[in-house]
């Protein structure tokens, strides 16, 4: 299965060969791991990559009887699972790029800068839409939306349902896969610092929520963030197809401000008030308890600083858009005024010394000098 059109062949193991065929190489590794499931000798090792580890069966009341449900903790073997799904994500990235975005790009004939931004937004629209739906499904089915006090009650939330743990592993795999993609997609050097900051903030918040057993709060915050980002990148896609399509940016601006308010309020409510009032206070690495005043303050400070930084960038973006709009209006007004002046000159004919001068035969307006009296 080839993902890229090969206009030129490169030597094996060269840099260009790796960039051109990275999806095929990674797909080969994925197939190799899946083949390992077929043999008894390698099946146990293959399962380490494919299935979440550290499962514990716990008795749970189900209607009139007790049943057992598998819950999961985190550990070092999660790195193998994240690595496998990182490979899967690279393959899916190549599929979206080759069969959707490249076909659209060939029709739009965008410049190189817009082409790269279009690819970035296209990939993120697919990811944010899928993650938003998945995250909302988990919140509803696990009952977190109906009972917001579950965000801090019975903390630490060490034992996770399968879908919660799998969601976090896939999120970490996606954002880790974007690091090698900077190399594979040949991102410009001036764009790399912005991308690294963007990726680093996501990894810090997702890994922090996962390792500090704040997965329930993390689900809500990710839902709000992904919902706002989906509107932004959708608006960018429509803008690249037609620069007059800017209405979605206004929708995104409203959604962005609302989600920032909800994010700040929910963080203060869960961490500042909820965790501060639960009985289980103190630091316990074995029990997974990180409910101390210092850690709560650090979490709130990190969330507040991130939200303030995002609001600052948002304000700068809106001010830039407003300046561009004013400049565009001024240019249009100037061109309209010049057009009107040209029309007036054509209608009034030629003048000299404040008087219209006609041609002698009356057929064409020709300027004739008048003798001074």
């Amino acid at each position: 299965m080839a993902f890229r059109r090969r206009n030129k062949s490169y030597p094996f193991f060269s840099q260009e060969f790796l960039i051109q065929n990275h999806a095929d190489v990674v797909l080969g590794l994925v197939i190799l791991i899946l083949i390992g499931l077929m043999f008894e000798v390698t099946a146990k090792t293959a399962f380490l990559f494919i299935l979440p580890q550290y499962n514990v069966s716990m008795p749970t009341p189900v209607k009139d009887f007790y049943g057992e449900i598998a819950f999961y903790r985190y550990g070092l073997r999660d790195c193998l699972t994240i690595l496998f799904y990182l490979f899967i994500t690279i393959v899916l990235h190549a599929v979206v790029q080759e069969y959707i975005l490249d076909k659209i790009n060939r029709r739009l004939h965008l410049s190189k800068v817009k082409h790269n931004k279009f690819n970035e937004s296209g990939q993120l629209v697919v990811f944010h839409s899928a993650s938003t739906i998945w995250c909302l499904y988990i919140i509803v089915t696990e009952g977190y939306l109906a009972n917001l006090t579950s965000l801090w009650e019975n903390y630490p939330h060490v034992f996770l349902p399968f879908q919660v743990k799998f969601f976090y592993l896939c999120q970490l795999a996606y954002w880790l896969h974007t690091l090698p993609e900077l190399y594979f997609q040949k991102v410009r050097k001036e764009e790399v610092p912005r991308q690294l900051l963007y990726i680093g903030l996501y990894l810090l918040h997702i890994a922090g929520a996962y390792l500090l057993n704040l997965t329930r709060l993390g689900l809500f915050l990710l839902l709000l963030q992904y919902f706002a980002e989906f509107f932004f990148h959708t608006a960018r896609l429509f803008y690249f197809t037609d620069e007059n399509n800017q209405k979605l940016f206004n929708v995104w601006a409203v959604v962005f401000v609302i989600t920032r308010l909800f994010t700040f309020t929910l963080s203060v409510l869960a961490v500042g008030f909820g965790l501060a009032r639960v009985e289980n206070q103190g630091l316990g690495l074995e029990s997974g308890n990180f409910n101390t005043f210092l850690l709560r303050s650090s979490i709130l400070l990190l969330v507040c600083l991130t939200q303030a930084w995002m609001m600052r960038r948002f304000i700068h973006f809106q001010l830039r858009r407003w300046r561009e709009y004013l400049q565009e209006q001024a240019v249009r007004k100037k061109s309209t005024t010049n057009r009107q002046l040209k029309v007036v000159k054509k209608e009034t004919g030629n003048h000299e010394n404040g008087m219209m001068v006609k041609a002698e035969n009356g057929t064409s307006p020709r300027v004739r000098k008048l003798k001074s009296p």
Side-chain angles (χ1 to χ4, degrees), residues 243-356:
E243 293 188 357
N244 294 322
N245 291 330
Q246 299 193 24
K247 293 182 180 179
L248 274 178
F249 281 114
N250 299 328
V251 177
W252 163 72
V254 176
V255 173
F256 181 89
V257 174
I258 293 174
T259 52
R260 297 287 71 77
L261 292 175
F262 272 99
T263 299
F264 178 77
T265 304
L266 198 60
S267 301
V268 173
L269 178 65
V271 179
F273 293 97
L275 290 179
R277 296 182 179 182
V278 297
E279 296 180 359
N280 193 8
Q281 301 278 339
L283 179 63
L285 297 179
E286 294 183 0
S287 61
N289 186 13
F290 301 95
N291 190 9
T292 64
F293 175 77
L294 179 61
L295 284 172
R296 289 198 306 269
S297 302
S298 301
I299 292 169
L300 282 178
L301 180 63
L302 177 63
V303 172
C304 292
L305 288 176
T306 305
Q307 300 307 307
W309 176 75
M310 294 176 69
M311 282 298 299
R312 177 177 172 272
R313 292 195 61 186
F314 170 77
I315 293 171
H316 282 201
F317 176 77
Q318 295 298 330
L319 290 176
R320 187 181 65 189
R321 281 188 65 211
W322 180 249
R323 285 195 298 267
E324 291 175 354
Y325 174 77
L326 291 179
Q327 290 175 0
E328 184 181 352
Q329 292 297 317
V331 171
R332 286 183 179 179
K333 187 176 180 180
K334 186 176 180 180
S335 62
T336 304
T337 305
N338 292 336
R339 224 179 292 123
Q340 290 175 350
L341 288 174
K342 289 181 180 178
V343 172
V344 170
K345 286 182 178 180
K346 287 182 179 179
E347 290 178 351
T348 56
N350 298 305
H351 292 76
E352 187 163 331
N353 294 334
M355 297 177 60
M356 181 182 291

